[in-house]
Amino acid sequence: MRTGANAEEFPIEAAPVTSLSCMRKDFPTIKAHEDCLGSRKGCTPVQRAWLEKNAVLATENFFAVDGKLGIGQVTLSNTSKSSQSLAFKDLRWEGAIVPVDDAGYGIMCSNFNDWAGGATAGSATSREVLLPSGSGTGIFGGPSLYGEDLTRNIPAGSPAVFNLAAGETSRAGLDLKVTHKVATITGRVLATVSASDGEKEVQIPLPILDGGQAVFITVPMPILSVDGGATCPKGSAKYASRTICSIQQLKSENHLG
């Protein structure tokens, strides 16, 4: 939300009670259970209209943590029919990051499904690649936590190079180094593919930037979560992990005056 906006004017509504029928254990599928729990949108039309006028709308689930912004995962494969090896190297970021200087704190329109899952995110990722937001090429982060890692013997901090024999595949999680609390981002990731017959430049697909521009938020950041169409009543907690239920409480908890 922009610092000039009057947070006290954000429409606060009574929280609806989740139907007890959603707590049954005899749903035919997991999706049926999730559909029941997530049937309500995170903010009402009135609340969303207020946010469109008074806030910077961030791209959904696009957060930076510890100075790193996850911009995508990529599968690197050598599909050569011969025995030719390929090297994917010189992974680099080319783009612009523009800070939103008047961003204050966040209001998140969410529901159950926005918070569910996530524990298996990255489970197929072989290795983290850290990309500088300025000039320079990517380096490897820590070792893989899941699955086969063809780069296991390359120490963290080394240039990110994937050497693949014919038929081999590896996955990389691309993290961009950022310093801004809230910012718009445009750009692309390039790599050089090297083989015995020469080199060529390729662009790594980044679905998060398919629209041309995205907006990220760095966490931790003061955020008020609006669940199921409304904030929870003053003095109550809809979920144990979400005890801040009003603009006033949010500001008090985060020393915002």
Side-chain angles (χ1 to χ4, degrees), residues 25-191:
K25 298 182 179 180
D26 57 348
F27 281 90
T29 64
I30 293 176
K31 184 178 184 305
H33 187 205
E34 291 179 345
D35 287 345
C36 180
L37 290 167
S39 59
R40 296 188 305 270
K41 293 184 177 180
C43 287
T44 64
V46 171
Q47 289 172 326
R48 289 179 181 273
W50 189 92
L51 291 171
E52 288 176 3
K53 292 175 60 177
N54 297 279
V56 177
L57 301 183
T59 303
E60 185 176 1
N61 298 324
F62 199 32
F63 300 103
V65 181
D66 295 330
K68 298 185 295 186
L69 178 66
I71 56 176
Q73 295 187 3
V74 58
T75 299
L76 305 172
S77 300
N78 183 351
T79 58
S80 173
K81 301 298 182 181
S82 66
S83 59
Q84 179 176 236
S85 296
L86 292 179
F88 292 84
K89 61 182 184 180
D90 194 20
L91 278 75
R92 57 204 181 273
W93 164 258
E94 181 182 90
I97 301 175
V98 180
V100 179
D101 294 325
D102 62 345
Y105 50 91
I107 295 178
M108 179 181 291
C109 297
S110 63
N111 60 25
F112 176 84
N113 287 336
D114 292 328
W115 296 80
T120 58
S123 60
T125 300
S126 293
R127 195 69 184 267
E128 177 190 37
V129 175
L130 300 173
L131 301 166
S133 57
S135 60
T137 61
I139 61 174
F140 280 127
S144 169
L145 297 178
Y146 308 95
E148 182 180 3
D149 180 4
L150 301 177
T151 66
R152 187 175 303 280
N153 294 325
I154 303 177
S158 301
V161 178
F162 294 82
N163 292 302
L164 304 178
E168 284 188 328
T169 296
S170 190
R171 285 178 61 84
L174 303 177
D175 288 339
L176 186 65
K177 295 181 180 180
V178 295
T179 57
H180 304 301
K181 185 167 66 173
V182 181
T184 60
I185 177 174
T186 55
R188 59 181 182 164
V189 172
L190 301 172

